[in-house]
Amino acid sequence: MNPFELLQNTAKLKEEAEKMQGELAEMRAEGSSGGKMVTVTVNGKMEMTEVHLDPICVDNRDVKMLEDLIIAAHHDAVTNMQEQIKAKAGPLLQGMNIPGLNL
C-alpha cells in the first residue's frame, strides 16, 4: 500500500472517530429492573445521567433490595447502550478490541 494512501486513511479514520465521540455524548439508553420500579439512563460514555424510582420501591426497611435494583437497572442500560454503539459503529470498529464493547 502506498504510504500516502495509508496517511489519508488514517486521517479519515481519525475524523470519523472524533465525529463518533461527539455522537456518543448525545446518545441515551435506558435500562430498568424490578418491573420498571427502577429505571436508569446512561449516555454513550456509560455515565449514569438519570435515576427514576417508583415510590413503591422506596422502603427504608429494604434498602438492600433497592440497591440491587439500581445496579441491575444500570447494567441493563449499559447493555442497551453497547448494543446501540455496536449497531452504529460496528462497521467502523470491526476487529478493534475496545474494552466493554465486545465487538
Side-chain angles (χ1 to χ4, degrees):
M1 177 179 263
N2 181 336
F4 294 111
E5 286 179 29
L6 184 60
L7 287 174
Q8 287 176 336
N9 289 342
T10 302
K12 182 179 177 184
L13 185 60
K14 180 181 177 191
E15 180 181 314
E16 289 179 22
E18 288 172 355
K19 178 182 172 190
M20 179 151 308
Q21 283 182 331
E23 291 174 1
L24 285 175
E26 300 299 317
M27 292 175 72
R28 298 287 180 267
E30 190 175 275
S32 65
S33 65
K36 295 208 177 223
M37 286 194 301
V38 175
T39 304
V40 299
T41 303
V42 296
N43 63 19
K45 296 178 182 179
M46 308 302 173
E47 300 166 335
M48 191 182 319
T49 58
E50 293 179 45
V51 176
H52 175 74
L53 305 174
D54 185 321
I56 198 168
C57 71
V58 182
D59 181 351
N60 63 356
R61 295 170 294 166
D62 201 356
V63 173
K64 180 64 178 149
M65 178 196 70
L66 181 55
E67 292 169 346
D68 290 343
L69 288 172
I70 292 170
I71 290 169
H74 182 261
H75 182 296
D76 188 41
V78 167
T79 299
N80 292 337
M81 179 54 69
Q82 288 172 334
E83 289 173 8
Q84 284 185 38
I85 292 170
K86 283 182 196 177
K88 188 171 192 82
L92 176 65
L93 302 175
Q94 197 75 28
M96 294 180 145
N97 185 16
I98 299 175
L101 287 184
N102 303 319
L103 293 174

